[in-house]
PDB file of all heavy atoms in Angstrom:
ATOM      1  N   PRO A 822     -11.011   4.369  22.193  1.00 83.00           N
ATOM      2  CA  PRO A 822     -11.639   3.410  21.280  1.00 83.00           C
ATOM      3  C   PRO A 822     -12.850   3.945  20.524  1.00 83.00           C
ATOM      4  O   PRO A 822     -13.202   3.405  19.492  1.00 83.00           O
ATOM      5  CB  PRO A 822     -12.036   2.243  22.189  1.00 83.00           C
ATOM      6  CG  PRO A 822     -12.011   2.776  23.567  1.00 83.00           C
ATOM      7  CD  PRO A 822     -11.028   3.908  23.590  1.00 83.00           C
ATOM      8  N   LEU A 823     -13.466   5.019  21.011  1.00 84.00           N
ATOM      9  CA  LEU A 823     -14.607   5.557  20.259  1.00 84.00           C
ATOM     10  C   LEU A 823     -14.142   6.464  19.133  1.00 84.00           C
ATOM     11  O   LEU A 823     -14.939   6.935  18.319  1.00 84.00           O
ATOM     12  CB  LEU A 823     -15.559   6.325  21.182  1.00 84.00           C
ATOM     13  CG  LEU A 823     -16.258   5.484  22.248  1.00 84.00           C
ATOM     14  CD1 LEU A 823     -17.340   6.294  22.943  1.00 84.00           C
ATOM     15  CD2 LEU A 823     -16.862   4.206  21.666  1.00 84.00           C
ATOM     16  N   HIS A 824     -12.852   6.726  19.070  1.00 86.00           N
ATOM     17  CA  HIS A 824     -12.342   7.588  17.997  1.00 86.00           C
ATOM     18  C   HIS A 824     -11.346   6.761  17.181  1.00 86.00           C
ATOM     19  O   HIS A 824     -11.738   5.926  16.372  1.00 86.00           O
ATOM     20  CB  HIS A 824     -11.718   8.840  18.638  1.00 86.00           C
ATOM     21  CG  HIS A 824     -11.329   9.933  17.691  1.00 86.00           C
ATOM     22  ND1 HIS A 824     -11.569   9.892  16.336  1.00 86.00           N
ATOM     23  CD2 HIS A 824     -10.699  11.125  17.904  1.00 86.00           C
ATOM     24  CE1 HIS A 824     -11.112  10.996  15.768  1.00 86.00           C
ATOM     25  NE2 HIS A 824     -10.568  11.759  16.696  1.00 86.00           N
ATOM     26  N   ALA A 827     -10.527   2.326  17.181  1.00 86.00           N
ATOM     27  CA  ALA A 827     -11.465   1.282  16.737  1.00 86.00           C
ATOM     28  C   ALA A 827     -10.847   0.261  15.781  1.00 86.00           C
ATOM     29  O   ALA A 827     -11.149  -0.923  15.859  1.00 86.00           O
ATOM     30  CB  ALA A 827     -12.686   1.934  16.098  1.00 86.00           C
ATOM     31  N   LEU A 852     -23.971  -8.201  20.463  1.00 96.00           N
ATOM     32  CA  LEU A 852     -25.040  -7.200  20.446  1.00 96.00           C
ATOM     33  C   LEU A 852     -26.016  -7.432  21.593  1.00 96.00           C
ATOM     34  O   LEU A 852     -26.500  -6.477  22.213  1.00 96.00           O
ATOM     35  CB  LEU A 852     -25.774  -7.220  19.100  1.00 96.00           C
ATOM     36  CG  LEU A 852     -24.951  -6.703  17.913  1.00 96.00           C
ATOM     37  CD1 LEU A 852     -25.651  -6.966  16.584  1.00 96.00           C
ATOM     38  CD2 LEU A 852     -24.654  -5.208  18.055  1.00 96.00           C
ATOM     39  N   GLU A 856     -22.770  -4.707  23.534  1.00 95.00           N
ATOM     40  CA  GLU A 856     -21.421  -4.258  23.157  1.00 95.00           C
ATOM     41  C   GLU A 856     -21.473  -3.574  21.803  1.00 95.00           C
ATOM     42  O   GLU A 856     -22.233  -3.985  20.920  1.00 95.00           O
ATOM     43  CB  GLU A 856     -20.464  -5.453  23.074  1.00 95.00           C
ATOM     44  CG  GLU A 856     -19.919  -5.854  24.415  1.00 95.00           C
ATOM     45  CD  GLU A 856     -18.915  -6.992  24.292  1.00 95.00           C
ATOM     46  OE1 GLU A 856     -17.946  -6.856  23.530  1.00 95.00           O
ATOM     47  OE2 GLU A 856     -19.135  -8.016  24.966  1.00 95.00           O
ATOM     48  N   LYS A 857     -20.655  -2.555  21.627  1.00 94.00           N
ATOM     49  CA  LYS A 857     -20.561  -1.889  20.321  1.00 94.00           C
ATOM     50  C   LYS A 857     -19.675  -2.751  19.417  1.00 94.00           C
ATOM     51  O   LYS A 857     -18.660  -3.294  19.863  1.00 94.00           O
ATOM     52  CB  LYS A 857     -19.926  -0.520  20.477  1.00 94.00           C
ATOM     53  CG  LYS A 857     -20.837   0.502  21.167  1.00 94.00           C
ATOM     54  CD  LYS A 857     -21.470   1.417  20.130  1.00 94.00           C
ATOM     55  CE  LYS A 857     -22.440   2.401  20.749  1.00 94.00           C
ATOM     56  NZ  LYS A 857     -21.785   3.552  21.324  1.00 94.00           N
ATOM     57  N   ILE A 858     -20.051  -2.846  18.168  1.00 96.00           N
ATOM     58  CA  ILE A 858     -19.223  -3.571  17.196  1.00 96.00           C
ATOM     59  C   ILE A 858     -18.292  -2.545  16.563  1.00 96.00           C
ATOM     60  O   ILE A 858     -18.750  -1.585  15.915  1.00 96.00           O
ATOM     61  CB  ILE A 858     -20.108  -4.265  16.124  1.00 96.00           C
ATOM     62  CG1 ILE A 858     -21.159  -5.164  16.806  1.00 96.00           C
ATOM     63  CG2 ILE A 858     -19.240  -5.055  15.147  1.00 96.00           C
ATOM     64  CD1 ILE A 858     -20.620  -6.274  17.692  1.00 96.00           C
ATOM     65  N   MET A 859     -17.017  -2.744  16.767  1.00 93.00           N
ATOM     66  CA  MET A 859     -16.042  -1.740  16.316  1.00 93.00           C
ATOM     67  C   MET A 859     -16.006  -1.638  14.790  1.00 93.00           C
ATOM     68  O   MET A 859     -16.120  -2.645  14.084  1.00 93.00           O
ATOM     69  CB  MET A 859     -14.650  -2.080  16.854  1.00 93.00           C
ATOM     70  CG  MET A 859     -14.568  -1.911  18.338  1.00 93.00           C
ATOM     71  SD  MET A 859     -14.750  -0.164  18.816  1.00 93.00           S
ATOM     72  CE  MET A 859     -15.875  -0.272  20.170  1.00 93.00           C
ATOM     73  N   GLY A 860     -15.858  -0.398  14.322  1.00 94.00           N
ATOM     74  CA  GLY A 860     -15.818  -0.193  12.868  1.00 94.00           C
ATOM     75  C   GLY A 860     -17.194   0.045  12.274  1.00 94.00           C
ATOM     76  O   GLY A 860     -17.341   0.117  11.052  1.00 94.00           O
ATOM     77  N   PHE A 861     -18.219   0.171  13.127  1.00 95.00           N
ATOM     78  CA  PHE A 861     -19.577   0.449  12.631  1.00 95.00           C
ATOM     79  C   PHE A 861     -20.162   1.679  13.315  1.00 95.00           C
ATOM     80  O   PHE A 861     -19.859   1.947  14.477  1.00 95.00           O
ATOM     81  CB  PHE A 861     -20.498  -0.764  12.865  1.00 95.00           C
ATOM     82  CG  PHE A 861     -20.236  -1.830  11.861  1.00 95.00           C
ATOM     83  CD1 PHE A 861     -19.240  -2.761  12.105  1.00 95.00           C
ATOM     84  CD2 PHE A 861     -20.902  -1.856  10.647  1.00 95.00           C
ATOM     85  CE1 PHE A 861     -18.927  -3.712  11.161  1.00 95.00           C
ATOM     86  CE2 PHE A 861     -20.599  -2.803   9.700  1.00 95.00           C
ATOM     87  CZ  PHE A 861     -19.605  -3.739   9.948  1.00 95.00           C
ATOM     88  N   GLY A 862     -21.015   2.359  12.569  1.00 93.00           N
ATOM     89  CA  GLY A 862     -21.679   3.546  13.100  1.00 93.00           C
ATOM     90  C   GLY A 862     -20.815   4.781  12.909  1.00 93.00           C
ATOM     91  O   GLY A 862     -19.590   4.683  12.715  1.00 93.00           O
ATOM     92  N   HIS A 863     -21.460   5.910  12.895  1.00 91.00           N
ATOM     93  CA  HIS A 863     -20.728   7.170  12.779  1.00 91.00           C
ATOM     94  C   HIS A 863     -21.577   8.321  13.287  1.00 91.00           C
ATOM     95  O   HIS A 863     -22.790   8.313  13.122  1.00 91.00           O
ATOM     96  CB  HIS A 863     -20.331   7.446  11.322  1.00 91.00           C
ATOM     97  CG  HIS A 863     -19.214   8.426  11.226  1.00 91.00           C
ATOM     98  ND1 HIS A 863     -19.425   9.773  11.218  1.00 91.00           N
ATOM     99  CD2 HIS A 863     -17.880   8.231  11.200  1.00 91.00           C
ATOM    100  CE1 HIS A 863     -18.253  10.374  11.176  1.00 91.00           C
ATOM    101  NE2 HIS A 863     -17.302   9.474  11.161  1.00 91.00           N
ATOM    102  N   ARG A 864     -20.935   9.287  13.917  1.00 86.00           N
ATOM    103  CA  ARG A 864     -21.667  10.430  14.432  1.00 86.00           C
ATOM    104  C   ARG A 864     -22.292  11.264  13.314  1.00 86.00           C
ATOM    105  O   ARG A 864     -23.419  11.750  13.440  1.00 86.00           O
ATOM    106  CB  ARG A 864     -20.729  11.279  15.295  1.00 86.00           C
ATOM    107  CG  ARG A 864     -21.269  12.609  15.761  1.00 86.00           C
ATOM    108  CD  ARG A 864     -22.533  12.512  16.610  1.00 86.00           C
ATOM    109  NE  ARG A 864     -22.388  11.803  17.854  1.00 86.00           N
ATOM    110  CZ  ARG A 864     -21.941  12.335  18.984  1.00 86.00           C
ATOM    111  NH1 ARG A 864     -21.585  13.588  19.015  1.00 86.00           N
ATOM    112  NH2 ARG A 864     -21.874  11.625  20.077  1.00 86.00           N
ATOM    113  N   LYS A 867     -24.709   8.731   8.148  1.00 85.00           N
ATOM    114  CA  LYS A 867     -25.727   7.757   8.516  1.00 85.00           C
ATOM    115  C   LYS A 867     -26.009   6.796   7.345  1.00 85.00           C
ATOM    116  O   LYS A 867     -26.418   5.665   7.548  1.00 85.00           O
ATOM    117  CB  LYS A 867     -27.031   8.449   8.956  1.00 85.00           C
ATOM    118  CG  LYS A 867     -26.852   9.277  10.243  1.00 85.00           C
ATOM    119  CD  LYS A 867     -26.350   8.473  11.463  1.00 85.00           C
ATOM    120  CE  LYS A 867     -25.900   9.354  12.608  1.00 85.00           C
ATOM    121  NZ  LYS A 867     -25.033   8.739  13.588  1.00 85.00           N
ATOM    122  N   LYS A 907     -28.944  -4.295  12.238  1.00 94.00           N
ATOM    123  CA  LYS A 907     -28.956  -3.034  13.003  1.00 94.00           C
ATOM    124  C   LYS A 907     -29.052  -1.790  12.119  1.00 94.00           C
ATOM    125  O   LYS A 907     -29.117  -0.667  12.629  1.00 94.00           O
ATOM    126  CB  LYS A 907     -27.664  -2.918  13.830  1.00 94.00           C
ATOM    127  CG  LYS A 907     -27.491  -3.938  14.928  1.00 94.00           C
ATOM    128  CD  LYS A 907     -28.230  -3.615  16.216  1.00 94.00           C
ATOM    129  CE  LYS A 907     -27.693  -2.423  16.943  1.00 94.00           C
ATOM    130  NZ  LYS A 907     -28.429  -2.104  18.166  1.00 94.00           N
ATOM    131  N   LEU A 909     -26.645  -0.539  10.553  1.00 96.00           N
ATOM    132  CA  LEU A 909     -25.426   0.241  10.790  1.00 96.00           C
ATOM    133  C   LEU A 909     -24.440   0.085   9.633  1.00 96.00           C
ATOM    134  O   LEU A 909     -24.264  -1.005   9.086  1.00 96.00           O
ATOM    135  CB  LEU A 909     -24.754  -0.203  12.095  1.00 96.00           C
ATOM    136  CG  LEU A 909     -25.402   0.319  13.381  1.00 96.00           C
ATOM    137  CD1 LEU A 909     -24.836  -0.412  14.593  1.00 96.00           C
ATOM    138  CD2 LEU A 909     -25.190   1.817  13.536  1.00 96.00           C
ATOM    139  N   ASN A 912     -17.589   2.063   9.035  1.00 94.00           N
ATOM    140  CA  ASN A 912     -16.915   3.361   8.936  1.00 94.00           C
ATOM    141  C   ASN A 912     -15.478   3.157   8.444  1.00 94.00           C
ATOM    142  O   ASN A 912     -15.070   2.029   8.147  1.00 94.00           O
ATOM    143  CB  ASN A 912     -17.002   4.110  10.273  1.00 94.00           C
ATOM    144  CG  ASN A 912     -16.387   3.316  11.417  1.00 94.00           C
ATOM    145  OD1 ASN A 912     -15.301   2.774  11.275  1.00 94.00           O
ATOM    146  ND2 ASN A 912     -17.092   3.242  12.540  1.00 94.00           N
ATOM    147  N   ASP A 914     -12.753   2.862   9.767  1.00 91.00           N
ATOM    148  CA  ASP A 914     -11.874   1.942  10.490  1.00 91.00           C
ATOM    149  C   ASP A 914     -12.071   0.486  10.114  1.00 91.00           C
ATOM    150  O   ASP A 914     -11.204  -0.336  10.381  1.00 91.00           O
ATOM    151  CB  ASP A 914     -12.123   2.077  12.009  1.00 91.00           C
ATOM    152  CG  ASP A 914     -11.551   3.367  12.533  1.00 91.00           C
ATOM    153  OD1 ASP A 914     -10.435   3.708  12.137  1.00 91.00           O
ATOM    154  OD2 ASP A 914     -12.231   4.031  13.325  1.00 91.00           O
TER     155      ASP A 914
HETATM  156  C1  COA B2434     -18.915   6.129  16.208  1.00 75.08           C
HETATM  157  C2  COA B2434     -19.901   6.157  17.371  1.00 75.08           C
HETATM  158  C3  COA B2434     -19.157   6.567  18.649  1.00 75.08           C
HETATM  159  C4  COA B2434     -20.988   7.186  17.041  1.00 75.08           C
HETATM  160  O1  COA B2434     -21.682   7.375  18.207  1.00 75.08           O
HETATM  161  P1  COA B2434     -23.018   8.240  18.356  1.00 75.08           P
HETATM  162  O2  COA B2434     -23.217   9.171  17.227  1.00 75.08           O
HETATM  163  O3  COA B2434     -22.938   8.805  19.713  1.00 75.08           O
HETATM  164  O4  COA B2434     -24.125   7.164  18.207  1.00 75.08           O
HETATM  165  P2  COA B2434     -24.662   6.273  19.397  1.00 75.08           P
HETATM  166  O5  COA B2434     -23.507   5.628  20.096  1.00 75.08           O
HETATM  167  O6  COA B2434     -25.589   7.100  20.217  1.00 75.08           O
HETATM  168  O7  COA B2434     -25.477   5.163  18.614  1.00 75.08           O
HETATM  169  C5  COA B2434     -26.847   5.282  18.191  1.00 75.08           C
HETATM  170  C6  COA B2434     -27.474   3.905  18.288  1.00 75.08           C
HETATM  171  O8  COA B2434     -26.796   2.981  17.434  1.00 75.08           O
HETATM  172  C7  COA B2434     -26.176   1.946  18.208  1.00 75.08           C
HETATM  173  N1  COA B2434     -24.817   1.768  17.704  1.00 75.08           N
HETATM  174  C8  COA B2434     -24.017   2.732  17.205  1.00 75.08           C
HETATM  175  N2  COA B2434     -22.843   2.226  16.851  1.00 75.08           N
HETATM  176  C9  COA B2434     -22.902   0.916  17.148  1.00 75.08           C
HETATM  177  C10 COA B2434     -22.007  -0.137  17.004  1.00 75.08           C
HETATM  178  N3  COA B2434     -20.789   0.056  16.485  1.00 75.08           N
HETATM  179  N4  COA B2434     -22.371  -1.369  17.396  1.00 75.08           N
HETATM  180  C11 COA B2434     -23.592  -1.590  17.903  1.00 75.08           C
HETATM  181  N5  COA B2434     -24.505  -0.615  18.053  1.00 75.08           N
HETATM  182  C12 COA B2434     -24.168   0.617  17.687  1.00 75.08           C
HETATM  183  C13 COA B2434     -26.127   2.475  19.632  1.00 75.08           C
HETATM  184  O9  COA B2434     -26.111   1.436  20.564  1.00 75.08           O
HETATM  185  C14 COA B2434     -27.372   3.309  19.678  1.00 75.08           C
HETATM  186  O10 COA B2434     -28.460   2.455  19.833  1.00 75.08           O
HETATM  187  P3  COA B2434     -29.725   2.880  20.742  1.00 75.08           P
HETATM  188  O11 COA B2434     -30.290   4.106  20.069  1.00 75.08           O
HETATM  189  O12 COA B2434     -30.599   1.694  20.696  1.00 75.08           O
HETATM  190  O13 COA B2434     -29.151   3.193  22.102  1.00 75.08           O
HETATM  191  C15 COA B2434     -20.561   4.778  17.588  1.00 75.08           C
HETATM  192  O14 COA B2434     -21.209   4.411  16.398  1.00 75.08           O
HETATM  193  C16 COA B2434     -19.549   3.728  18.006  1.00 75.08           C
HETATM  194  O15 COA B2434     -19.240   3.617  19.182  1.00 75.08           O
HETATM  195  N6  COA B2434     -19.024   2.935  17.031  1.00 75.08           N
HETATM  196  C17 COA B2434     -18.012   1.941  17.341  1.00 75.08           C
HETATM  197  C18 COA B2434     -16.644   2.575  17.481  1.00 75.08           C
HETATM  198  C19 COA B2434     -16.064   3.004  16.136  1.00 75.08           C
HETATM  199  O16 COA B2434     -16.109   2.278  15.153  1.00 75.08           O
HETATM  200  N7  COA B2434     -15.496   4.214  16.151  1.00 75.08           N
HETATM  201  C20 COA B2434     -14.855   4.779  14.962  1.00 75.08           C
HETATM  202  C21 COA B2434     -15.626   5.965  14.480  1.00 75.08           C
HETATM  203  S1  COA B2434     -15.010   6.523  12.926  1.00 75.08           S
END
Side-chain angles (χ1 to χ4, degrees):
L823 295 189
H824 189 4
L852 291 171
E856 277 183 55
K857 289 259 177 81
I858 306 301
M859 291 294 135
F861 283 87
H863 200 274
R864 172 60 63 84
K867 295 302 167 199
K907 294 278 292 179
L909 283 168
N912 58 46
D914 287 317

